[in-house]
Amino acid sequence: MIVDNALYHDGRRVPLGAGDDQSLGYARIPCDPGDFQWIGIHDPSAEELQLIARTFDLHPLAVEDAGDSHQRPKLERYDDTLFLVLKTLWYVDEEDAVETGEINMFVGPDFVVTVRHGEGIDLAASRRDLEHRAKVLEHGPMAVLYAICDRVVDEYERVGAALEEDVDEVEESVFSPARTNDSTRIYVLKREIAEVRRAVLPLREPMRKFAMGIDSRITADTATYFRDVADHLQRVAEVIDNLDQLLSTAFDAHLARISVQQNEDMRKISAGAALVVVPTLVAGVYGMNFDHMPELHWTYGYPFALLLMAGIVGGLFAWFKKSGWL
């Protein structure tokens, strides 16, 4: 469905009028140089995409990709139209889950078409913010491209910050004195970090190209904006790589702690078994049916045997305690 449709003149939104407010091809009508139209679509049907494609003469391969919500971030050029795929991310802290959406953008000389799949980022807020920055809007369709990329990368940074908090919690848990089972959460976080990496890393090359001004519509001033986005994107990529390495280290430390804990358990079990075996051995010896045994007919033989067993057990217990086995 078409969420919004507006014409922009000299960096300001121009009402299209009651009869033309849904006119898709308004900007194709001869108008002032620099004017452009921005159409926002959310989860369109195939018929709606074909209508947009016919109106703005979009390439069929790009239209096909725009209808699929499982594209890899990429930048392609079809004649004078740029086609950019962005992955949107947001973090659900309760589930340690990174949710994804997608934005497909067609950027022509006098139009911008944004096709949004999933919930993700509300482009209406980006549009309102951009409409309050007339100086930026004067850069035309590339200003819209910058604003959306900037908003998407800002969300990447928020997701990275949320993941940093969870990784810190995992580290505290792994190295805490208490016995914890962190392997499941570590695996979940590594899987979500891989999801973020699939969104962030492929986008670095398109942002680098925009920052270098590969398109004639990108002026030196416009390239400055994209360099800022590229810098933030690189920072997010470094954060994600660092978090992945920290989780790998935490997982190795978790396995090492499990091994140490198992060794401690075996030592305690062995010490406990020794405390039982020694008196059992003494009792077993005196339980044999022989007439001639040391102290067998002694009046205090029985108390002596009990004291002997208690003394040996006490000595072993003190020794195990001192050596850390108990």
Side-chain angles (χ1 to χ4, degrees):
M1 57 177 287
I2 298 174
V3 178
D4 202 350
N5 177 21
L7 180 71
Y8 294 90
H9 172 73
D10 289 338
R12 299 188 182 278
R13 181 173 181 141
V14 178
L16 296 180
D20 292 326
D21 58 348
Q22 292 298 319
S23 175
L24 296 180
Y26 187 89
R28 289 296 189 177
I29 302 172
C31 53
D32 294 339
D35 289 2
F36 70 95
Q37 188 175 9
W38 179 4
I39 300 174
I41 311 174
H42 184 212
D43 287 332
S45 64
E47 293 75 15
E48 288 173 325
L49 274 180
Q50 289 304 319
L51 176 60
I52 295 291
R54 289 192 300 268
T55 302
F56 295 100
D57 193 24
L58 303 178
H59 197 281
L61 291 178
V63 174
E64 181 182 355
D65 287 345
D68 183 5
S69 61
H70 300 286
Q71 293 294 315
R72 185 175 182 268
K74 61 181 179 179
L75 173 66
E76 296 179 351
R77 187 185 187 101
Y78 298 95
D79 297 327
D80 60 350
T81 301
L82 296 176
F83 177 62
L84 177 66
V85 178
L86 300 168
K87 283 290 186 183
T88 58
L89 304 176
W90 67 97
Y91 195 63
V92 182
D93 189 50
E94 296 79 9
E95 302 174 6
D96 289 343
V98 176
E99 300 294 338
T100 63
E102 189 173 306
I103 298 175
N104 301 279
M105 298 185 63
F106 297 92
V107 184
D110 55 5
F111 70 90
V112 177
V113 177
T114 54
V115 182
R116 184 164 63 93
H117 295 281
E119 297 303 323
I121 296 173
D122 182 11
L123 293 184
S126 298
R127 187 189 289 258
R128 288 192 299 270
D129 292 342
L130 191 59
E131 288 172 354
H132 286 89
R133 304 167 67 186
K135 288 294 183 182
V136 179
L137 263 177
E138 288 177 358
H139 292 280
M142 302 309 295
V144 177
L145 180 62
Y146 153 72
I148 294 177
C149 291
D150 185 55
R151 178 71 183 276
V152 168
V153 173
D154 284 346
E155 291 300 320
Y156 290 171
E157 290 189 295
R158 293 188 181 92
V159 170
L163 285 170
E164 279 186 304
E165 293 180 3
D166 285 349
V167 171
D168 288 342
E169 291 176 2
V170 167
E171 287 184 312
E172 291 178 5
S173 179
V174 167
F175 294 103
S176 67
R179 292 199 173 194
T180 57
N181 183 15
D182 300 299
S183 56
T184 301
R185 192 178 187 192
I186 291 174
Y187 171 77
V188 169
L189 288 174
K190 285 185 70 69
R191 184 186 62 192
E192 301 310 311
I193 285 175
E195 188 74 38
V196 177
R197 181 181 282 111
R198 284 192 291 269
V200 172
L201 298 190
L203 192 58
R204 290 189 297 182
E205 182 61 19
M207 290 301 104
R208 185 188 67 82
K209 291 181 178 179
F210 288 142
M212 294 176 62
I214 63 165
D215 193 275
S216 59
R217 289 166 287 180
I218 300 179
T219 64
D221 290 339
T222 309
T224 301
Y225 291 107
F226 284 107
R227 281 197 295 272
D228 181 66
V229 176
D231 179 65
H232 290 185
L233 188 65
Q234 180 62 29
R235 187 165 59 198
V236 174
E238 292 172 356
V239 167
I240 294 305
D241 286 340
N242 184 47
L243 292 179
D244 189 56
Q245 293 175 6
L246 286 175
L247 283 177
S248 296
T249 303
F251 186 69
D252 292 340
H254 175 65
L255 293 180
R257 286 204 65 189
I258 290 177
S259 178
V260 170
Q261 290 169 355
Q262 288 177 339
N263 289 336
E264 290 178 352
D265 291 342
M266 288 303 300
R267 286 190 301 178
K268 291 179 179 179
I269 292 172
S270 300
L275 296 179
V276 175
V277 167
V278 171
T280 302
L281 174 63
V282 175
V285 169
Y286 278 92
M288 292 185 293
N289 295 321
F290 291 101
D291 290 332
H292 303 286
M293 291 185 65
E295 316 300 340
L296 185 63
H297 299 288
W298 183 32
T299 304
Y300 302 103
Y302 181 69
F304 172 76
L306 294 178
L307 289 174
L308 177 64
M309 289 186 284
I312 294 175
V313 169
L316 287 174
F317 182 83
W319 183 65
F320 288 145
K321 199 71 174 178
K322 182 179 180 180
S323 61
W325 281 45
L326 285 175

